[in-house]
Amino acid sequence: MAEIHRIISRTVQSPNELFALATLVRTKGSSYRRPGARVLICADGSTIGSLSGGCLEDEVIEKGLEILAGRSSPTLMSFDTRKQFGCNGEIEIFVETIGPEYFTDVANDLAARRPSSLKTIFPVGQWVQSIDPQTRLFIIGEGPDTAPLIRLSLILGWQPIE
């Protein structure tokens, strides 16, 4: 859940930038991540998030960059991980271009500490993801354990408040 907050933050910070967003929309059998996992692909090739244990990301990022460059349209990618990667499943990933407005309503809800939802519509269905505001960690006092506690809370996707 922490990565969706980082993805939203990155898009909101860049109101004039286009991104590619890859969303895991369907799984069958075993998979490293579940539906709703996302990767934000920036025009410079940097990413936020993950879809697998690293097996698929290069191919998905390449497709995202093609879509951003206008050489491809939004795509539903299918991977049979039994054949390619030695896993026991199948996954589908939808890759699309998004603008800064894509997360506006969600960002506003989260800023107001309200739960929100995000709908991804892809060629053969839709995926609706519930997104809760970050867990807040109130840190009272200061000592040698404060800095590590803050770092740990950020890794967990929490919002430390001193």
Side-chain angles (χ1 to χ4, degrees), residues 35-49:
R38 297 174 191 269
V39 169
L40 182 73
I41 304 161
C42 305
D44 65 3
S46 62
T47 62
I48 299 172

Side-chain angles (χ1 to χ4, degrees), residues 49-94:
S50 68
L51 298 166
S52 72
C55 312
L56 316 168
E57 273 77 355
D58 288 345
E59 191 173 340
V60 172
I61 292 166
E62 183 178 321
K63 180 56 77 176
L65 291 172
E66 287 176 13
I67 291 170
L68 276 175
R71 295 189 309 267
S72 185
S73 56
T75 303
L76 183 63
M77 302 177 76
S78 297
F79 296 91
D80 185 340
T81 59
R82 296 170 299 181
K83 295 176 183 174
Q84 291 178 296
F85 307 110
C87 299
N88 190 22
E90 300 171 35
I91 64 173
E92 292 183 337
I93 298 167
F94 183 60

